[in-house]
């Protein structure tokens, strides 16, 4: 019977968009058919070619990604491309969380398989909309910050849960409503509707990160309120700045104490 973590690693290595989406879909098909095994104790060596990605987009430093006015078709295409790139990286992050970290409960691996499937769906929606705007994924430069955090936290699932879903991906909960409004005001109601779907699902993805962060803290006897900022400082996570989407963060499982900490932390921290 196919094994989930091995299939996730193979999907992560896929270097074309079509192959990666097909690999994620095959994992989901196997899960629905009940023909998917999970081996939490399996040990894998990290291959040198992860994540698999197409030759384009060209990856540049974040401050070298050009910003374009969203009122123009070209500007909207650039914006949609940037979101699609985030979703593509999010597929890779979910797949990486499955194969890399051994000895977790089966529910952990199934949670991240769900995330990979939903991120692939988001990417497909954005890819199709990008085509309507006369562009394809790879037409614009992009940056690699999200995957760089995956590399930084590759040694420890606690650090991964703290700094990928709970920190970087949770920023999307804060940024998406304003971006959705800008796209709608520019007349791109289809893009706005796609962002509604993404925000709905991303609340669930951040909730999964919160769930397993709390579980790992409990397993290790750590205080989540102390652990999170310590990990962020140790790994030089980006400074989080308001405004925060507190309702979405509550829906994603952040406690009131964590939200208070987040706001204090954002006010007091200096850029790394």
């Amino acid at each position: 019977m196919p094994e989930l973590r091995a299939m996730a690693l193979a999907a992560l290595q896929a270097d074309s968009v079509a192959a990666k989406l097909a690999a994620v879909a095959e994992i989901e098909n196997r899960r629905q058919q009940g023909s998917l095994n999970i081996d939490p104790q399996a040990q894998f060596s990290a291959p040198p070619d992860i994540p698999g990605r197409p030759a384009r987009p060209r990856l540049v430093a974040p401050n070298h990604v050009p910003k374009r006015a969203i009122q123009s078709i070209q500007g909207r295409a650039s914006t949609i491309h940037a979101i699609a790139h985030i979703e593509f990286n999010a597929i890779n992050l979910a797949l990486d969380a499955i194969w890399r970290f051994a000895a977790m409960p089966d529910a952990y691996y199934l949670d991240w398989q769900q995330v990979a499937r939903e991120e692939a769906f988001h990417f497909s929606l954005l890819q199709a909309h990008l085509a309507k705007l006369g562009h394809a994924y790879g037409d614009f430069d992009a940056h690699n910050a999200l995957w760089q955090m995956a590399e930084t936290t590759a040694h420890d699932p606690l650090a991964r849960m703290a700094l990928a879903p709970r920190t970087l991906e949770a920023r999307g909960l804060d940024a998406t409503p304003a971006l959705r409004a800008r796209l709608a005001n520019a007349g791109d109601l289809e893009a706005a509707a796609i962002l509604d779907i993404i925000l709905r699902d991303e609340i669930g993805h951040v909730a999964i990160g919160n769930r397993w962060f709390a579980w790992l803290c409990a397993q290790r006897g750590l205080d989540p309120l102390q652990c999170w900022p310590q990990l962020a400082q140790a790994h030089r996570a980006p400074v989080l700045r308001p405004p925060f989407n507190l309702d979405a963060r509550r829906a994603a499982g952040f406690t009131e104490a964590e939200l208070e900490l987040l706001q204090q932390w954002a006010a007091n921290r200096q850029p790394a």
Side-chain angles (χ1 to χ4, degrees), residues 15 30 34 36 44 54 74 88 141 144 175 179-180 194 208 216 227 235 246 249 261 267-268 270:
D15 59 5
R30 294 284 185 177
L36 188 63
F44 302 92
Q74 185 80 351
F88 189 79
D141 290 347
N144 202 32
L179 179 56
R180 184 221 183 273
I194 292 171
I208 287 170
L216 285 160
C227 185
H235 296 287
L246 297 180
R249 284 176 175 268
L261 169 67
N268 295 334
Q270 296 299 317

Side-chain angles (χ1 to χ4, degrees), residues 57 76-86 130 136-142:
R76 289 200 297 281
S78 175
T79 299
I80 297 300
H81 186 278
I83 303 168
H85 183 67
I86 291 171
L130 197 57
Y137 180 60
D139 284 358
F140 301 90
D141 290 347

